[in-house]
Amino acid sequence: DSGVTQTPKHLITATGQRVTLRCSPRSGDLSVYWYQQSLDQGLQFLIQYYNGEERAKGNILERFSAQQFPDLHSELNLSSLELGDSALYFCASSVARGGAGELFFGEGSRLTVL
Amino acid sequence: AQSVAQPEDQVNVAEGNPLTVKCTYSVSGNPYLFWYVQYPNRGLQFLLKYITGDNLVKGSYGFEAEFNKSQTSFHLKKPSALVSDSALYFCAVRDGGVDSSYKLIFGSGTRLLVRP
């Protein structure tokens, strides 16, 4: 158990809908990262937050947004969903802002868009 | 731009034999290198990392990795494979420079299959 909690574990929805994925980092970790894992594109970095502020942005679509709350949990919002958004979404956390610390991953949220 | 390559989609090895999963990297500045393992329907688990120092890094579950700066490689190794080692392995790199964005960039993954 990494200590990172993600909900829901599975989510099935229709095209055009909006969903919210939630992540609770390990106790004491200030950084939260979101990744998307799909069969054709592997693990893609989406976005990072550190202590409530956006720190780095990757290949995140404009239809997607995220935030980190004062209690350090984070939410990833996916809107106007398309079939291609079906993927496994991982949250990871680390204690530091960056540098040498490894990331600790949650079990992921599997999104299926029909 | 930082990148990491895992040239093998799959590695097959017999139980008890040594295994190697290959990884090469390309970064500006000093590399911070990581190996993760993913079991079916699970998240990624950290195995080991190289930051600086000894080129041979020891990690979890008997795995080790060898950092080779001249060949820009960071291959994962284990002297004696177990069937339970069968999983998806990811190499990752983070740019250790001052202007690092701090994210991890992952390779495409290598599926390790250990046969009994």
Side-chain angles (χ1 to χ4, degrees), chain B residues 63-79:
Chain B
F63 284 94
E64 56 189 26
E66 187 172 10
F67 172 70
N68 188 315
K69 188 172 183 178
S70 63
Q71 298 186 3
T72 61
S73 66
F74 188 56
H75 300 332
L76 182 70
K77 301 181 179 184
K78 188 174 183 181

Side-chain angles (χ1 to χ4, degrees), chain A residues 21-22 36 52-53 58 62 78 84 105:
Chain A
L21 310 180
R22 182 188 169 100
Q36 179 193 57
E53 296 186 1
E62 286 191 9
L78 316 176
F105 282 79

Side-chain angles (χ1 to χ4, degrees), chain A residues 31-94:
Chain A
S31 272
V32 170
Y33 304 74
W34 286 97
Y35 282 83
Q36 179 193 57
Q37 185 180 29
S38 57
L39 286 176
D40 57 345
Q41 294 204 353
L43 269 164
Q44 297 289 316
F45 169 73
L46 296 179
I47 197 164
Q48 179 206 355
Y49 280 82
Y50 174 77
N51 203 20
E53 296 186 1
E54 183 182 304
R55 182 65 185 90
K57 214 167 191 176
N59 301 318
I60 188 167
L61 300 172
E62 286 191 9
R63 300 182 286 107
F64 296 0
S65 64
Q67 55 184 323
Q68 186 179 27
F69 295 86
D71 66 352
L72 301 178
H73 91 272
S74 178
E75 292 181 357
L76 179 66
N77 300 296
L78 316 176
S79 62
S80 303
L81 286 168
E82 303 175 358
L83 296 178
D85 297 328
S86 295
L88 196 51
Y89 291 85
F90 285 111
C91 169
S93 72
S94 70

Side-chain angles (χ1 to χ4, degrees), chain A residues 35 37 55 99 102-103 107, chain B residues 36 42 49 94 102 104:
Chain A
Y35 282 83
Q37 185 180 29
R55 182 65 185 90
E102 60 269 27
L103 305 188
E107 297 286 290
Chain B
Y36 283 81
R42 303 296 300 276
K49 66 181 178 184
R94 176 186 293 158
Y102 306 119
L104 285 184

Side-chain angles (χ1 to χ4, degrees), chain B residues 90-109:
Chain B
F90 289 96
C91 180
V93 65
R94 176 186 293 158
D95 187 354
V98 174
D99 296 330
S100 167
S101 63
Y102 306 119
K103 62 182 181 287
L104 285 184
I105 299 170
F106 285 89
S108 55

